[in-house]
Amino acid sequence: MDIRYRRPRGTRDVLLEEMERWRWCEERWREVLERYGFGEIRTPLIEPTDLFTRAVGSGTDIVDKEMYSFETKGGEQITLRPEATASVVRAYLENGLTRQPGTLKFYYLGPMFRYDRPQAGRYRQFHQVGVEAIGSPSPVLDAEVIRTALALFEAVDAEGLTVQVNTIGCPECRPGYVAELQAWARGRAEGFCETCRARLEINPLRLFDCKVESCRDLLGGMRPISEAVCGACRDHHAALRTSLAAMDVGATEDPSLVRGLDYYTRTTFEISARQDLRQSALCGGGRYDGLVEQCGGPPTPAVGFSLGVERTLRHLYPEEFDPQLSRQSPVDVYMACLGQPAMIHALAHAELLRGVCRVEVDTTGRGVKAQMKGAHARGARLVLIAGDDELAAGKFQMKDLNDGHQREVAGDGLLAAVREVLGS
Ligand code: HAM
């Protein structure tokens, strides 16, 4: 076959059976999120480019290398969202929600776009389920948000996960540390990879993102930011640990966890799969107390996370998905039709039956044997056969695939007969 079009690199088609897994997870996640007090928000997939450049930060991989940005015919600079935190904050401000008292808790589920190097677990279009809790500075909320993330994993029976936490300070204490780090790294610039040499000039904290062994070894000689934060940040972190312990959440300190986005203050965290070190972060988040103000709002503390849906599903089902095994969605009643008039006769009755069960009308025009096979493949309990004779008499042959029993049913008694067998 000469297929003319292929999906863009780094994107996936989610088919039939795999789609069922997605829906199963999504249903459970919605339930959990609502139990934790989050309400759904949907923001556009496109936003002004400047929103991400400012919120996520220039000097980050996302902004410098990974954004799908373009100019519209009207001359607007637009970006396909690489993440949703900035969008939620934009929506919070634009819809006047700053006047609402208390903490506002949003959740979202949807596609994100990053022009990253595709590999297993890393895509250019991927999906996140995430939360943003806006309005409270309390470390207790940080702990509750981390607990929410774990509840999402528990809801889909994900096991073998670990929580890493860190503190990366605030505008009071971070600049001093960053200056110290920069001076220290400049003195050792030769030892760092090329990317890190650029990082140390533009955004020194990003040095901690580097995966190159020699850079990591070298950085081991510098005290981590968690040891340099101010007293208030230290207290915040201690209270976070106490709150996590109160909920029996075990978390390890990871001093190199600075996260790849610039808006974080104080708490950062990730949840990872222990076994699989490549693309092992299934979920990441943290506190971002400066972002609302940076986007033009009043000073407003906030905290959130996003969980990668594809990575979580790969963790749950590590075997490669084979679309050959895919099947169509199951039905209760399969209507096998011989000829177009019979199909129309069946279609009219299918409308009635669909009020109580799932119905497929076979319009392929293939032989009855092949249609019976189709009925088995779809898991149907009942087959209703309509040919010329049945059409003329306004009837159907009804076959129960459980016991093979077949009988004739009049059109006006069809609904009752089907309901009796299905118990619906
Ligand atoms: P992030 O760490 O960039 O954070 O992404 C969160 C999760 O999305 C990752 O842990 C990973 O599971 C998934 N993910 C990221 N990039 C890819 C990719 N290319 N392919 C597949 N999965 C990917 C954020 O996006 C922040 N907005 C999280 C947040 C919310 N912080 C505060 N609130």
Side-chain angles (χ1 to χ4, degrees):
M1 205 176 1
D2 178 20
I3 302 172
R4 294 221 181 127
Y5 305 104
R6 300 203 176 263
R7 56 181 181 257
R9 233 163 83 73
T11 64
R12 299 184 68 246
D13 299 308
V14 181
L15 300 172
L16 307 159
E17 271 173 300
E18 189 186 357
M19 198 63 232
E20 283 172 26
R21 292 175 180 174
W22 279 65
R23 282 187 41 186
W24 181 79
C25 291
E26 287 173 12
E27 277 160 26
R28 262 145 203 85
W29 287 335
R30 284 180 196 284
E31 253 173 58
V32 168
L33 290 166
E34 276 156 34
R35 264 190 275 133
Y36 278 82
F38 291 88
E40 188 169 5
I41 182 170
R42 290 196 192 182
T43 59
L45 301 191
I46 52 173
E47 293 279 0
T49 297
D50 201 35
L51 173 67
F52 300 115
T53 313
R54 296 209 40 177
V56 176
S58 46
T60 61
D61 282 354
I62 294 179
V63 169
D64 288 358
K65 304 187 206 152
E66 297 172 4
M67 294 212 297
Y68 281 89
S69 300
F70 57 96
E71 187 177 304
T72 63
K73 291 188 175 66
E76 295 163 292
Q77 302 298 326
I78 292 290
T79 292
L80 288 182
R81 65 176 186 195
E83 62 109 47
T85 309
S87 306
V88 171
V89 168
R90 198 260 319 127
Y92 167 78
L93 291 174
E94 193 166 346
N95 293 287
L97 301 176
T98 50
R99 290 188 294 272
Q100 299 258 344
T103 307
L104 288 190
K105 293 164 90 179
F106 300 105
Y107 82 84
Y108 49 83
L109 223 157
M112 311 291 157
F113 305 86
R114 295 184 193 177
Y115 192 77
D116 209 342
R117 205 160 39 82
Q119 53 181 268
R122 198 199 283 161
Y123 308 99
R124 290 182 173 168
Q125 177 177 331
F126 60 96
H127 295 72
Q128 288 182 342
V129 51
V131 312
E132 311 299 343
I134 307 178
S136 164
S138 172
V140 176
L141 181 61
D142 300 13
E144 193 189 31
V145 160
I146 293 173
R147 187 66 194 86
T148 308
L150 284 172
L152 293 181
F153 288 113
E154 285 161 12
V156 295
D157 305 323
E159 286 171 356
L161 302 180
T162 56
V163 184
Q164 296 84 44
V165 293
N166 192 22
T167 176
I168 61 163
C170 68
E172 297 296 312
C173 55
R174 198 184 317 163
Y177 175 80
V178 170
E180 180 189 328
L181 172 66
Q182 191 171 45
W184 177 89
R186 275 182 179 151
R188 292 158 181 79
E190 262 76 276
F192 285 105
C193 71
E194 205 182 312
T195 316
C196 280
R197 283 203 292 273
R199 279 175 175 146
L200 88 86
E201 293 306 327
I202 306 164
N203 198 336
L205 212 52
R206 296 270 80 78
L207 290 171
F208 286 100
D209 286 339
C210 191
K211 304 280 179 287
V212 176
E213 196 98 359
S214 51
C215 295
R216 295 188 80 91
D217 286 350
L218 195 52
L219 265 181
M222 172 67 190
R223 67 173 176 156
I225 188 163
S226 53
E227 285 175 23
V229 297
C230 62
C233 288
R234 221 176 280 262
D235 291 348
H236 186 98
H237 200 62
L240 164 69
R241 303 288 323 201
T242 310
S243 310
L244 287 174
M247 291 182 293
D248 278 333
V249 173
T252 51
E253 294 288 337
D254 179 353
S256 68
L257 187 65
V258 293
R259 309 262 306 125
L261 306 96
D262 274 356
Y263 46 62
Y264 292 114
T265 50
R266 296 189 165 161
T267 308
T268 55
F269 68 93
E270 283 189 353
I271 299 177
S272 317
R274 221 177 297 151
Q275 311 89 323
D276 166 38
L277 286 173
R278 292 188 102 195
Q279 314 309 330
S280 62
L282 302 186
C283 173
R287 176 162 281 284
Y288 50 97
D289 290 345
L291 187 57
V292 175
E293 196 176 2
Q294 197 189 320
C295 292
T300 311
V303 56
F305 68 78
S306 311
L307 172 160
V309 177
E310 285 83 355
R311 282 196 198 167
T312 302
L313 280 156
R314 274 173 55 86
H315 177 71
L316 291 173
Y317 307 100
E319 79 283 6
E320 277 302 310
F321 201 84
D322 181 358
Q324 298 300 318
L325 298 175
S326 299
R327 61 181 159 79
Q328 298 275 330
S329 59
V331 294
D332 305 301
V333 175
Y334 197 93
M335 301 186 88
C337 313
L338 301 169
Q340 184 166 299
M343 289 176 204
I344 296 169
H345 171 62
L347 195 64
H349 285 83
E351 280 305 289
L352 199 64
L353 299 181
R354 284 179 175 138
V356 298
C357 63
R358 300 168 297 180
V359 183
E360 173 72 9
V361 179
D362 192 322
T363 58
T364 58
R366 57 191 167 164
V368 98
K369 230 170 142 181
Q371 294 194 48
M372 290 303 286
K373 252 177 127 170
H376 281 287
R378 298 290 291 275
R381 166 78 190 267
L382 289 174
V383 184
L384 298 172
I385 303 157
D388 291 341
D389 294 348
E390 286 79 16
L391 183 61
K395 292 180 174 164
F396 289 90
Q397 293 293 330
M398 185 169 94
K399 182 164 183 165
D400 187 334
L401 295 185
N402 260 13
D403 55 15
H405 181 72
Q406 185 165 325
R407 66 184 167 107
E408 216 170 65
V409 182
D412 56 8
L414 192 61
L415 182 62
V418 166
R419 291 185 82 156
E420 194 188 320
V421 177
L422 298 180
S424 57

